Amino acid sequence: MLPRSLRCCLPVCFLAAVFAAAPAAPATPASVDDRVRDLLARMTVEEKVGQLVQYSSQEDMTGPASSSSIAPQLAVGGVGSLLNVKGAAETRKWQKFAIDSSRLHIPLLFGLDVIHGYRTIFPVPLATACSWDMALIEQAEHVAATEAAASGLHWTFAPMVDIARDPRWGRVAEGAGEDTYLGSAIAQARVRGFQGGDLAAPDTILACAKHFAAYGAVQAGRDYYTTDVTERVLRDVYLPPFHAAVEAGAVTLMAAFNDLDGTPCSANAFLLDRVLRQEWGFQGFVVSDWQGILEMLEHGNAGDLREAARQSFLAGLDMDMEGEAYARHLAGLVRSGAVPMARLDAAAGAVLAAKFRLGLFDDPYRRGDEAREKAARPVPEHLALAREAVRRSCVLLKNNGILPLPTAGLTVALVGPLADAAADQMGCWNGEGRPGEVVTVRQALAEIYPGARLRYAEGCRTTGDDRRGFAAARAAAAGADVIVAALGEAKSQSGETTSRTNLDISGPQLDLLRELHATGKPVVLLLMSGRPLMLETVEPLVAAVLVAWHPGTMGGPGIADLLTGAANPSGHLTLTWPRSVGQIPIFYAHKNSGRPAPKSGHPEDPYYSRYIDSPNTPLHPFGFGLSYTRFALDRLRLSAALLQPGGAPLTVSVRVRNTGTRAGEEVVQLYVRDRVGSVTRPVRELKGFRKIALAAGEAQDVSFPLTPADLGFWRADQTFGPEPGEFEVFVGDDADATLTAAFTLAQ
Ligand code: GLC
């Protein structure tokens, strides 16, 4: 029996054809466009507007509360989507109510922030970005989609693809770091993982590239704040990952809170129409961020909610999240002629098309099967992938040889507020992750160092000034051979609304670390945070630094694998690690300026771009990461000295050798510098990377193709493309790569 929602979708002409002709040839299924057109033709203005209204479940708000009770609006088809509704039973309940009580029985879209896993919580996105492993990232998002869909979800507000170069902004944890090229590759991997190859499959969910655009450029690193970005920087740095997500098929985008060149992104026609629809040909729909339309009154570009709704809708913002702007004013705007019906049909049609593509009209309950939900709890293969993700995302910043730790004959003191902190270990946006399902560092190490061989003390919290735990920490250290200090950020210190002016390891933790150092025992710093924290004065106190970020459900086992050498660290930074907050923003793809720092040491001439109290260089460069083995890169060669437009790509090749004593993985990075341009160009830009595994003593050639399109940028004449001239390539395993060669791009 066809679900009621489908019966009403069949056009009368189709039914007549079926009964008139006999035997009818099997009807070719109507296309999504046909089905959308048919449904729109039978919808009232209010019902079309309803598709563009999204409310949050009252149980789990992810922003300031605003909406009144939503049941009456659901009953008349006045709501198209709900967010923050969790679980198969709950989504089924709301879906059934919406379908049964509304006239056209149009199913709801259920959305949630599935940012790094749903039940199985993976390392935060900044961490998995540091794996430089696109296959792993895609697999992780597919697991997240599988678990989320089993709970009735259709849509995740991810991937967050904001390029971020300011770790004062807590949301760096949600993104891929500072680099446009890598961020674009990661955006595509995440979209593929969420959406798969067929949105009608029950283990797929809609992706949502956010926050469109340049949210990572908020001034002073302060969340929700303003930006000041030229169109050139917007197009060269911040837009490409969104374009990449759209090209990978992302069905939705989310508009950013910030204004851009004076117009809030929620009503920015340059972004939402000119770039997104006219230049990129985007066919999906754009949702506001939480109350983004309402917030235009605070931005000050609209005097009342009706005007804000009018501006946003005409600019190209399709769905209103929790702001009630469209619910209250859009129908009136259409009836008054202030908004054309064609614009309403386009927006409502895009939402309906997504619902058709998801198969919701064929089976609105295909996702949200309680049996499948139970079966989709963190299953062994999901947990195994999460553990692998931890192994490949952690970054080894320092190691004087203390790591890996022997597993026999050693007593370990595990100290610090992140050592046994299940909730904090999951980090920000942890979906339906359950602390009881998390394996902490303490639990994992207790398996390897049983009984008295593991001495644990929390020592202190990440905030406040309570030092009463220091004595127990000293006592734990006294009886141990080595100290592992698990310090960093609580989950409340990372993600949305967590901008910080001070990026030192917070609270009493630094003093605790100094006490541990004073014991004379070697200290391994295990840093668990959602961003780089300042280590310039910390690194001299410790024998090793392993950055584990917020590693999620399997953080303990994955970290234990690395600490004991069961796995070899292979993560590389995707965000420059500053020496101090004073250097921020600091990133590798910077401009040269007219007075760059001289290459030589300390010249007598002070007249160049510098600080008097710090080097210009970061503590660790973008792309940096150590291993338990060593790699050597040499034999850099180019297939030609001249790259001809329209000709064969130029191939950059390098030999990579594992010169150490154990297998490991290297991230080989290709950077390019455009020596002279119609506008100033960065000193280098990432244009290729390969993560390769090599046994001890093994060597492998790695090649990168380069074409003129790879050298494109937003030129002085406001067009995109390369310019002929001299280029340099640099190949290495971080942004300070020194292996270099040169080529010319012909006219
Ligand atoms: C929040 C965030 C956004 C999230 C949305 C829904 O304010 O800015 O990233 O997807 O609200 O929770």
Side-chain angles (χ1 to χ4, degrees), residues 266-312:
S266 302
N268 195 303
F270 168 77
L271 273 184
L272 300 174
D273 183 45
R274 172 149 158 226
V275 171
L276 185 59
R277 266 95 177 196
Q278 294 180 39
E279 294 182 14
W280 297 350
F282 176 65
Q283 301 288 320
F285 68 89
V286 182
V287 63
S288 74
D289 201 337
W290 189 283
Q291 295 184 354
I293 302 172
L294 175 64
E295 292 183 4
M296 284 163 56
L297 277 60
E298 288 294 345
H299 276 290
N301 66 306
D304 58 44
L305 195 57
R306 182 181 187 279
E307 174 57 10
R310 187 191 68 82
Q311 287 185 30
S312 293

Side-chain angles (χ1 to χ4, degrees), residues 62 83-84 113 157 171 174 210-211 215 224 254 257 289-290 321 429 496:
T62 48
L83 75 147
N84 296 329
D113 295 279
F157 305 122
R171 303 199 75 166
E174 302 174 44
K210 72 183 186 183
H211 304 81
Y215 189 16
Y224 313 120
M254 180 184 290
F257 284 124
D289 201 337
W290 189 283
M321 178 190 287
W429 296 112
E496 188 175 359

Side-chain angles (χ1 to χ4, degrees), residues 397-599:
L397 294 183
K398 177 181 179 182
N399 183 23
N400 70 356
I402 186 81
L403 293 179
L405 300 175
T407 52
L410 189 78
T411 297
V412 175
L414 175 63
V415 176
L418 275 297
D420 196 26
D424 292 327
Q425 188 171 302
M426 289 193 283
C428 60
W429 296 112
N430 46 60
E432 275 294 87
R434 299 178 186 172
E437 293 170 350
V438 169
V439 184
T440 66
V441 178
R442 180 187 185 186
Q443 291 165 331
L445 288 180
E447 296 287 315
I448 303 166
Y449 302 98
R453 294 180 53 214
L454 182 68
R455 302 164 65 84
Y456 165 73
E458 181 184 41
C460 65
R461 308 298 295 155
T462 62
T463 55
D465 195 25
D466 183 349
R467 296 150 192 267
R468 287 172 295 174
F470 280 24
R474 284 193 298 272
D481 304 305
V482 64
I483 302 164
V484 175
L487 309 177
E489 289 184 315
K491 70 179 289 229
S492 60
Q493 293 173 283
S494 174
E496 188 175 359
T497 75
T498 65
S499 294
R500 293 174 58 175
T501 59
N502 179 334
L503 294 181
D504 291 339
I505 298 175
S506 56
Q509 297 180 93
L510 273 183
D511 286 343
L512 174 64
L513 186 62
R514 292 186 184 104
E515 301 248 341
L516 297 173
H517 169 67
T519 67
K521 302 284 175 68
V523 179
V524 173
L525 173 59
L526 176 60
L527 190 66
M528 298 168 78
S529 64
R531 69 183 106 195
L533 299 180
M534 300 305 104
L535 298 177
E536 187 168 37
T537 59
V538 169
E539 286 194 356
L541 304 177
V542 299
V545 179
L546 181 67
V547 177
W549 311 109
H550 280 137
T553 304
M554 294 300 281
I559 289 166
D561 292 340
L562 295 171
L563 290 175
T564 60
N568 187 355
S570 64
H572 284 244
L573 296 176
T574 65
L575 198 147
T576 298
W577 200 286
R579 294 174 187 277
S580 70
V581 171
Q583 290 185 306
I584 294 172
I586 180 171
F587 49 94
Y588 84 89
H590 61 78
K591 296 297 184 71
N592 202 30
S593 84
R595 292 195 178 182
K599 300 290 174 287

